[in-house]
Amino acid sequence: MFSFSRMFADLKVFGKGFVRSRVGLFFTLIFPIILILLFGAIFQGGNSGPVTIYVQNQDSGPAGQAFIAALNGTSALRVTAVPVDQNFTQYLSSHSSSDGVVIPAGFTNAYVADKAVNVTVYGNPASTTSAIVSGITSEIVNAFNLHGATGVHQVGVASRTAASKSFQYIDFLVPGLIGFSALTSPMFALVNITSAYKRDKIFKQLSLTPLTKTEWLVSKILWYTMMTTVSFVLMSATGIFLFGAHITYSWGIAMFLVVGPLLFVSLGMLVGTVSTSPESAAVVGNLITFPMMFLSGTFFPVSSMPAYLQNIAHVLPLFYMIDGLSNVMIYGNYGPALVDVGVLLVISLVTFALAVRFFRWRED
Amino acid sequence: MPVIEVGSLEKSYGDLKAVDGISFSVEKGEVFSLLGPNGAGKTTTIEVLEGLRERSGGEVRVLGLDPWKNGDEVHRNIGVIPQGFKFLDYPTPKEAIEYYATLFGKKVDAEELLRRVILEEAEGRYFMHLSGGQKQKLGMALSLVNDPQLVFLDEPTTGLDPQARRAVWEVIRKLRSEGRTVLLTTHYLEEAEELADKVAIMDHGKIVAMGTVDEIISQHGQGENMNVRGGKDLVGYLKENTKLHVDFDGNTLVTIHLRDKNDALVALGAIQESGANWGDLAVKRESLEDIFLSLVGTEGATGGT
C-alpha cells in the first residue's frame, strides 16, 4: 500500500539533504543559468550595433527600392549593396558573412501585377544575426503584402536554409537548456545516489522499514519535478529579461515539467541499480547522457543537423522533451506538443516500471 | 517459545557454503552472541534472520515467523544495525529519528531516545560529521524507533576506539535491562564475555561451541593451570616423580595442567619436595580466548578460505 506520509517523510529528508549539500542545488539551479548566460552572450554577438546585411537588388523598379529603404529604415540593419554582376553566394563568403537578401529581377512588375514573388534570404541558423535578418525581412514582407493592391500575400520569403522563421537563437536555447537541465540534474543525481546507497547498504537499511521502493522513487520524482519547475522559472526569466527571448508561458509547459523528471529520475535509478559499482554506474550514466545532451537539440536545432543524426535524435527521449518545450514555448504548436508528451509518457512509464522491477531493496 | 529458532540453516553462494547447517535458539530477554573470525558466516546468518537474504536450506523462525516470507511483519517488530552502519549524509540525529518514526508510523520522543543511546551531545550535527561511535549509536537509536522486542546488532563496535566501544556496550546492557532480546555478532572475545548470556562460536559456517561462557570453558577447556616460576630441575623432578601434565616454556615458566583438585595438592607437594628454586605460584582458569584460539585456530589452519 502506497503511503503518502512515508513518501513525504522521505521527501522531506531528501530535500533537506539536497539543499544542505549545495552541490545538487548548484547543478540544478545555478549551472543552467550560467549556461544560458554563456551561450546567450556568445551568440548574441555582444550587442555590437546593427547587423551588416548584403543586399543584391536585381530589380529595377520602385518596389525593389522601397524594400531596400525599408531594410535600411530599421536601426538593426546596416545595408550594403552588392553589384548585380556579382555572384551573391561567393560575394557573401568572400566578405565572411552569411546574412543577405536578394531581390529578384521583375520584383516590381510582379508586385504591381499581384503575382507571387519571393525575396531570398540567406542565413546561418546557428547565428543570431541571421535570425534577426530573417525576422526583419519577414516583417517587411508582411508590410508589403498588407499595402499591396489586394491585400493578398503575393510577396513571399524564400529561404536558402532551414532557419527561415523570425526566431532568435536564444529562443531555441531556452527550451533546449530547460530540457538539458531536466535531463542532467535528476539523471546524474539518481545514478550516483542509487549506486552509492547500494554500496553503503542504505537501501538494505531502508528495506527494514515500512518504506517501499515505489514510495522512495516517487519522492525523488516529486522533488525533481519541483526542482525542474524552479529551474524552468529561473531560466526562462533569464532568457526573457536578459536576452529578450520570445517565450509564451502556458499550462502546456507543466506537462513537460512533470513527465521529464518522471522519465529521467526513473532512468537514473535504472542505470544505478543495474550497475555493480558507483564507478561503472557513472560511466553508463555518461554514455547515455552525453550523446542525448548534444544530439537532442539542446544547443543547436535538430533540423540543422545532417539527416542521419536527425534519425538518431528521434530515438532519444530528450529530443521529445526539447521539441515539445519548443512547440509550446516558442511556436504555440499544441498538437505536435501533445504527440511529444505522449511519446515521453510511454517511455517514462516503461522506464519507471523497469526501475521498480529491477531495483531491489534486498539481496538473495 | 524461543524468540529465534534456527534448525540446520544453510546458505550457499554457488559452491561456497557460507553457513553450513547451524542450529541454535535464543530465548526472550537473552543477549546471544555469535562469535567468530571474519568470514565465519556471522553476517550471513544474521541477514537470513533479518529477512534480508533467502536461506538455501533448513528452518528459521523469528518471532514465530519465517523472516523471508513474512519480511514486512518481522521488520515491524525487530531493530537492526547492519555491519558498518551508514546513513544519509545530511540529517541530524533528531531528524533521522523523526524520519524513521514517520516511516514506522510511531510517535517517538526523539530527544528521549537520543538520551537513551547517550547521543544527546551530538544533536544538531549532520550524520556525516558524527564520529564513528556516534554514528553507531545513532544506528542503535534508529533500530529502537519501532520499540522492537528483538534487536540485531552486527558487529556494532568494529572499528571503534575503546571508549566508544564501552559506550556502545553500555547501551547494549540497557537494552538487556529493558527486557529486549539481543542477537549480537562480534569478533571481539571480550565483547562476548562482557555482554552475552549465551555465546555460539562460529567458524567456516559451523557452530563449533555453544553455551554460556562458563559452559564453553568447562566443555572445551582443559580446566585450570598452575603456573610456577622455576627451572629445568623443577620440571625434571615433577616429570619423574608425578603423573602430572607439565609444560615448560624453556625459560622460567612451568605450567602444570590440573585435571582435578587432587592434582593441585600433588603438584604443591611435589614442588615442595623437589628442593628446586620456585616462586610466583598462581592458579588460572583457561579463558574464553584460550578456547577460541584452540577451536578456531586449528579449524582455521585446516580450512580453505
Side-chain angles (χ1 to χ4, degrees):
Chain A
M1 270 289 282
F2 189 90
S3 151
F4 281 94
S5 71
R6 288 198 296 263
M7 191 272 289
F8 280 118
D10 186 72
L11 181 64
K12 189 173 151 194
V13 165
F14 182 77
K16 273 190 179 170
F18 187 93
V19 172
R20 285 171 185 171
S21 86
R22 298 199 188 97
V23 177
L25 215 52
F26 174 80
F27 278 104
T28 306
L29 300 182
I30 314 291
F31 185 61
I33 292 179
I34 293 177
L35 283 182
I36 285 208
L37 292 174
L38 203 65
F39 281 87
I42 290 172
F43 289 103
Q44 196 186 30
N47 271 334
S48 57
V51 177
T52 300
I53 175 180
Y54 294 89
V55 179
Q56 191 173 49
N57 184 5
Q58 298 168 350
D59 182 52
S60 48
Q65 296 292 343
F67 200 93
I68 291 176
L71 285 173
N72 245 331
T74 68
S75 58
L77 301 179
R78 190 191 305 121
V79 175
T80 304
V82 178
V84 185
D85 56 344
Q86 296 285 328
N87 177 314
F88 191 69
T89 354
Q90 276 176 14
Y91 191 91
L92 275 186
S93 64
S94 68
H95 286 78
S96 305
S97 173
S98 53
D99 301 321
V101 170
V102 173
I103 301 166
F107 180 73
T108 307
N109 290 342
Y111 183 67
V112 170
D114 271 352
K115 281 184 190 155
V117 64
N118 276 346
V119 171
T120 309
V121 178
Y122 289 75
N124 173 357
S127 141
T128 33
T129 56
S130 293
I132 294 171
V133 170
S134 72
I136 292 174
T137 311
S138 298
E139 278 172 37
I140 295 171
V141 165
N142 281 338
F144 262 68
N145 284 330
L146 287 174
H147 286 91
T150 59
V152 183
H153 290 224
Q154 305 92 349
V155 182
V157 174
S159 165
R160 300 308 296 256
T161 67
S164 58
K165 289 173 179 150
S166 70
F167 298 113
Q168 306 171 20
Y169 177 69
I170 188 78
D171 299 335
F172 289 109
L173 187 66
V174 171
L177 285 181
I178 288 170
F180 166 88
S181 87
L183 160 72
T184 52
S185 84
M187 183 79 185
F188 286 135
L190 263 288
V191 166
N192 179 36
I193 291 171
T194 310
S195 48
Y197 278 24
K198 214 162 71 172
R199 180 195 57 202
D200 294 343
K201 297 180 181 161
I202 292 175
F203 282 138
K204 213 183 236 185
Q205 180 89 9
L206 291 175
S207 82
L208 294 164
T209 73
L211 184 71
T212 67
K213 50 189 183 179
T214 308
E215 287 158 3
W216 186 86
L217 188 53
V218 168
S219 121
K220 304 302 161 296
I221 291 168
L222 217 58
W223 175 258
Y224 280 100
T225 302
M226 294 193 286
M227 285 302 101
T228 307
T229 306
V230 174
S231 157
F232 160 78
V233 170
L234 292 175
M235 289 168 85
S236 56
T238 309
I240 292 170
F241 292 113
L242 284 180
F243 299 103
H246 300 96
I247 292 167
T248 323
Y249 287 109
S250 72
W251 286 108
I253 296 169
M255 303 187 294
F256 293 94
L257 299 182
V258 173
V259 80
L262 171 63
L263 171 58
F264 295 122
V265 167
S266 306
L267 189 60
M269 177 160 165
L270 189 60
V271 170
T273 202
V274 297
S275 309
T276 47
S277 70
E279 291 73 22
S280 67
V283 171
V284 178
N286 288 345
L287 279 178
I288 294 176
T289 313
F290 278 96
M292 192 139 71
M293 222 153 79
F294 291 111
L295 296 180
S296 303
T298 305
F299 300 104
F300 332 95
V302 170
S303 56
S304 70
M305 301 193 310
Y308 70 98
L309 282 181
Q310 292 197 30
N311 290 336
I312 295 177
H314 281 78
V315 300
L316 302 173
L318 183 61
F319 167 79
Y320 295 95
M321 180 83 184
I322 293 177
D323 191 57
L325 280 171
S326 307
N327 274 327
V328 175
M329 292 169 64
I330 322 177
Y331 308 109
N333 285 339
Y334 287 93
L338 281 175
V339 175
D340 290 321
V341 160
V343 173
L344 282 173
L345 200 61
V346 170
I347 304 176
S348 304
L349 293 177
V350 170
T351 316
F352 179 85
L354 286 176
V356 172
R357 172 81 182 71
F358 283 107
F359 174 52
R360 291 156 89 187
W361 284 135
R362 312 194 286 187
E363 293 149 58
D364 46 32
Chain B
M1 189 183 67
V3 176
I4 298 176
E5 266 190 295
V6 176
S8 314
L9 170 64
E10 288 180 17
K11 174 67 186 177
S12 315
Y13 300 103
D15 289 339
L16 179 75
K17 281 201 163 177
V19 177
D20 192 2
I22 63 169
S23 303
F24 63 90
S25 64
V26 180
E27 298 296 328
K28 191 174 173 351
E30 232 171 37
V31 175
F32 187 96
S33 175
L34 285 176
L35 178 66
N38 291 326
K42 306 185 298 286
T43 296
T44 304
T45 304
I46 210 171
E47 288 190 345
V48 168
L49 297 180
E50 290 160 0
L52 288 176
R53 289 183 190 277
E54 193 174 8
R55 61 186 181 272
S56 315
E59 269 308 305
V60 171
R61 282 275 174 277
V62 173
L63 303 168
L65 297 165
D66 180 330
W68 182 253
K69 288 186 185 135
N70 306 97
D72 291 344
E73 203 178 336
V74 170
H75 292 164
R76 279 175 195 279
N77 296 301
I78 62 171
V80 170
I81 309 187
Q83 203 180 114
F85 170 76
K86 287 198 179 117
F87 201 61
L88 309 172
D89 284 341
Y90 285 99
T92 64
K94 200 173 154 190
E95 286 167 348
I97 290 171
E98 282 162 356
Y99 172 50
Y100 261 50
T102 318
L103 294 187
F104 278 104
K106 297 261 179 186
K107 278 237 176 297
V108 172
D109 182 345
E111 276 161 28
E112 195 266 337
L113 187 49
L114 286 177
R115 272 197 299 279
R116 258 166 68 197
V117 298
I118 325 166
L119 191 61
E120 59 274 40
E121 83 280 1
E123 177 41 33
R125 289 166 62 192
Y126 298 150
F127 179 77
M128 61 189 295
H129 295 143
L130 299 181
S131 72
Q134 289 171 330
K135 284 180 179 170
Q136 210 60 40
K137 286 195 275 182
L138 177 62
M140 291 204 158
L142 292 183
S143 74
L144 297 177
V145 162
N146 56 332
D147 193 22
Q149 286 315 298
L150 171 61
V151 183
F152 292 94
L153 306 174
D154 193 2
E155 300 200 359
T157 63
T158 298
L160 299 189
D161 60 52
Q163 217 178 347
R165 178 173 305 158
R166 297 210 167 260
V168 171
W169 286 0
E170 200 176 323
V171 177
I172 296 174
R173 284 196 197 95
K174 271 193 193 177
L175 296 182
R176 185 177 184 279
S177 70
E178 289 163 1
R180 297 179 208 273
T181 311
V182 176
L183 185 72
L184 165 79
T185 75
T186 181
H187 56 243
Y188 297 119
L189 292 144
E190 28 158 2
E191 190 160 296
E193 263 181 318
E194 277 285 328
L195 301 170
D197 297 307
K198 242 175 140 180
V199 178
I201 298 180
M202 271 189 93
D203 192 40
H204 291 101
K206 294 188 163 130
I207 290 180
V208 292
M210 183 158 62
T212 63
V213 172
D214 284 344
E215 281 166 4
I216 289 179
I217 290 172
S218 63
Q219 278 167 23
H220 296 269
Q222 282 148 2
E224 289 166 318
N225 291 328
M226 181 180 289
N227 293 336
V228 192
R229 187 169 49 77
K232 272 186 187 163
D233 47 347
L234 177 62
V235 177
Y237 183 88
L238 290 173
K239 284 192 169 169
E240 220 154 88
N241 298 292
T242 69
K243 289 175 179 170
L244 298 166
H245 287 266
V246 183
D247 282 335
F248 184 47
D249 74 345
N251 190 19
T252 58
L253 182 67
V254 182
T255 303
I256 305 161
H257 299 292
L258 306 178
R259 286 157 301 191
D260 50 37
K261 285 176 184 161
N262 195 47
D263 273 1
L265 297 173
V266 172
L268 285 172
I271 291 168
Q272 180 61 24
E273 287 159 17
S274 72
N277 244 340
W278 64 274
D280 294 346
L281 186 138
V283 175
K284 274 189 182 161
R285 204 173 71 144
E286 265 193 311
S287 69
L288 187 62
E289 186 174 0
D290 297 328
I291 288 154
F292 182 81
L293 289 177
S294 73
L295 286 171
V296 170
T298 51
E299 286 263 322
T302 55
T305 47

